[in-house]
Amino acid sequence: MVLLLFGPPGSGKGTQSASLGRWLQIPVVSTGHLLRSEVEEGTPLGLVAKDLLARGALVGDAVMNDMIAARLRRPDCGNGVILDGYPRTRQQAEYLDQLLPERGLPEPLVLHFDAPDPVLVTRLATRLSCPACGRVYNVKQRAPKRLGYCDQEGVALVSRSDDQYGVVVERLRTYREQTAPLIDFYRGRRLFQVNADRGPDEVLDELKGAVDSILVRSVRRRG
Ligand code: ADP
């Protein structure tokens, strides 16, 4: 099974991808997470990406396509993968259409999350994450048990530098201009729309229902 999580920043892709990955027992590949690791390690790619991330702009298609091709080559992706944050442009989506069959992976199920801009901006402004495990918290909807510390790792939570208001506005603009048009690219294929302006448990239940119905249909087709 290949899931593409698609939606504006703050729509809950990271939270849901982690839950879906545990449920389906397949890896989650977040391009944002991979890029932030490159920045932290100060690699040549990280040095280029740092400035783009800080501005809320996209990293180039060729770099992102190579990154995904290398990641999908690893054996843990043999049974499927959840992609969070890729594809983000038409060029990336076309590249992925070639790559999946080459890797023996099936047609993706696209999960499209959306919520109104004011909801997204508020969520991002109040979001904290764990630098060790990446778990995301929110003072309103998913508060840590001990204020300011990760439930799992016990380390101090941090706010992402690109969650500052000015950068958030730019990331939303980039999403609406460059990524949202991809919905049309996937229309008529396996595309499922989810209202992300709800609590994480409710959204997860709906996503599991969508995945289940796809699995049942593909078993029937094989049988
Ligand atoms: P969000 O979806 O919350 O904006 P991500 O963690 O997915 O955040 O991505 C953070 C940043 O990484 C993006 O703003 C962009 O600069 C860069 N990025 C991530 N994925 C891609 C991609 N597929 N193509 C180009 N840039 C990307």
Side-chain angles (χ1 to χ4, degrees), residues 67-86:
M67 182 183 272
I68 285 294
R71 185 62 188 85
L72 292 191
R73 211 173 288 127
R74 296 210 342 225
D76 63 336
C77 295
N79 287 330
V81 65
I82 299 176
L83 295 182
D84 167 7
Y86 181 95

Side-chain angles (χ1 to χ4, degrees), residues 26 46-47 63 79 121 126 144 171 177 196-198 201:
I26 52 175
L47 294 177
V63 170
N79 287 330
V121 171
T126 54
R171 278 159 63 204
E177 276 177 21
D197 186 12
R198 291 175 300 163
D201 295 340

Side-chain angles (χ1 to χ4, degrees), residues 183-204:
I183 299 158
D184 280 336
F185 180 85
Y186 286 109
R187 221 178 282 287
R189 292 165 69 174
R190 301 202 306 195
L191 172 66
F192 180 79
Q193 315 262 3
V194 60
N195 168 13
D197 186 12
R198 291 175 300 163
D201 295 340
E202 235 177 304
V203 172
L204 182 62

Side-chain angles (χ1 to χ4, degrees), residues 30 76 113 115 124 129 175:
S30 153
D76 63 336
F113 295 50
L124 293 170
S129 61
Y175 174 80

Side-chain angles (χ1 to χ4, degrees), residues 9 13 31-32 35-36 57-59 64 85 88 92 160 171:
K13 304 182 300 288
T31 43
L35 287 169
R36 282 187 291 279
L58 295 183
V59 174
M64 297 313 300
R88 255 178 157 95
Q92 292 179 14
R160 261 170 57 177
R171 278 159 63 204

